Amino acid sequence: QSKVFGISGEERVGYGYGPITKGASHALLWRGSATTVVDLNPPGFVQSEAFGVSGGQQVGYGYGPGTGGGHALLWRGSAANIVDLNPPGFIQSQAFGASGGEQVGFGRGPSTGYHPHALLWHGSADSVVDLHGPGWSLVESQAFATSGGQQVGFGVNTGRGQPQALLWHGSADSVVNLHPGGFDESRALDICGGQQVGYGYGGSSGPSAVHALLWNGTPATVVDLNAFLPSGFQDAQALGFDAAGNIVGVAKGPASGGSPHAFLWKRNSPKPAAAGGSIRCDAQN
């Protein structure tokens, strides 16, 4: 069995397992076809998974002796070319997204009270930036994607106890709470060209309805993408998008018999280019 989680150019990443791996998950890299697969599982690691890819770099995690709950890993195309991103003092970490020399994910350890903290790396364990800011009374946070010096994910506030979508600009004190009014919970999953996508549910949206969401950097700019779904679909998540602003995700409802169907939300007008040049975004999550 195998799964793909991220794509950038001709590269795809994910994991696979079977008799050749003795049933353990191995991070995999493909370059366009099944025959091009590269087993990224590092020597000394029992299992691994890759979640994000960008610019010839792949990120994920690996588990082995002495790694506790697993270590965030950065690959550059092979199992031998690897960087262990687990920061000193952390017992567990995972990396989910990469772009422009940055990697994001989470880590936990004694210094975090063993709660997950959103982390930003710049290619090494020592370069880590803890995005978990004290000013917002967070008890847990995770980052899923990075682009253009911005990062997205979610945080759990002590006052609410439910995840809320967050946007960072490279530091803990730069955090922007994207959580829109009328929802109980939200998460931001991908970012490109100053826009963010994810989902929210609960509250006035209904106790079980999940809504795909698009932001432009603030909670006031949120767009409910469920408004553009065909009849018979009511639960949706936006998972990623490209530089043109086209969004991919999943939706389900009575029209699909409750099974998730892949969806593409296409932008009706060209998206303006980012200041300073063209936009490059990598689909992940």
Side-chain angles (χ1 to χ4, degrees), residues 99-128:
S99 179
E102 293 185 346
Q103 305 84 35
V104 292
F106 79 90
R108 65 183 183 92
S111 64
T112 72
Y114 298 96
H115 295 293
H117 277 201
L119 300 179
L120 166 66
W121 294 271
H122 294 85
S124 68
D126 292 337
S127 71
V128 70

Side-chain angles (χ1 to χ4, degrees), residues 18 20 37 65 70 81 95 128-129 143 160 177 202 212 258 279:
I20 194 172
V37 68
N81 198 341
V128 70
V129 176
R160 289 185 56 89
N177 186 354
I279 304 170

Side-chain angles (χ1 to χ4, degrees), residues 34-195:
T35 58
T36 65
V37 68
V38 177
D39 189 337
L40 297 175
N41 195 70
F45 282 76
V46 177
Q47 65 182 45
S48 57
E49 298 181 5
F51 300 115
V53 57
S54 176
Q57 297 186 8
Q58 305 82 35
V59 294
Y61 90 101
Y63 172 81
T67 63
H71 282 192
L73 299 178
L74 166 64
W75 294 271
R76 292 183 174 89
S78 70
N81 198 341
I82 188 172
V83 178
D84 189 334
L85 295 175
N86 194 70
F90 282 68
I91 63 169
Q92 180 189 12
S93 58
Q94 292 188 23
F96 296 120
S99 179
E102 293 185 346
Q103 305 84 35
V104 292
F106 79 90
R108 65 183 183 92
S111 64
T112 72
Y114 298 96
H115 295 293
H117 277 201
L119 300 179
L120 166 66
W121 294 271
H122 294 85
S124 68
D126 292 337
S127 71
V128 70
V129 176
D130 191 336
L131 297 174
H132 189 97
W136 201 56
S137 302
L138 293 172
V139 293
E140 177 184 346
S141 61
Q142 296 186 34
F144 295 124
T146 179
S147 177
Q150 299 182 1
Q151 304 80 36
V152 291
F154 76 90
V156 178
N157 186 295
T158 54
R160 289 185 56 89
Q162 293 175 302
Q164 296 184 333
L166 298 180
L167 166 67
W168 294 271
H169 296 79
S171 65
D173 59 6
S174 69
V175 67
V176 176
N177 186 354
L178 295 175
H179 184 73
F183 288 85
D184 288 337
E185 184 173 325
S186 61
R187 287 177 171 85
L189 302 178
D190 201 10
I191 181 170
C192 175
Q195 293 189 314

Side-chain angles (χ1 to χ4, degrees), residues 210-275:
V210 183
H211 286 224
L213 301 177
L214 166 69
W215 295 269
N216 284 273
T218 66
T221 61
V222 69
V223 176
D224 189 339
L225 297 174
N226 277 34
F228 306 101
L229 290 174
S231 177
F233 288 89
Q234 60 196 34
D235 294 311
Q237 296 183 28
L239 304 178
F241 51 175
D242 63 15
N246 302 309
I247 300 167
V248 293
V250 295
K252 65 181 181 179
S256 67
S259 297
H261 282 199
F263 268 82
L264 168 67
W265 288 268
K266 295 195 71 174
R267 189 177 180 89
N268 290 328
S269 59
K271 183 178 178 182

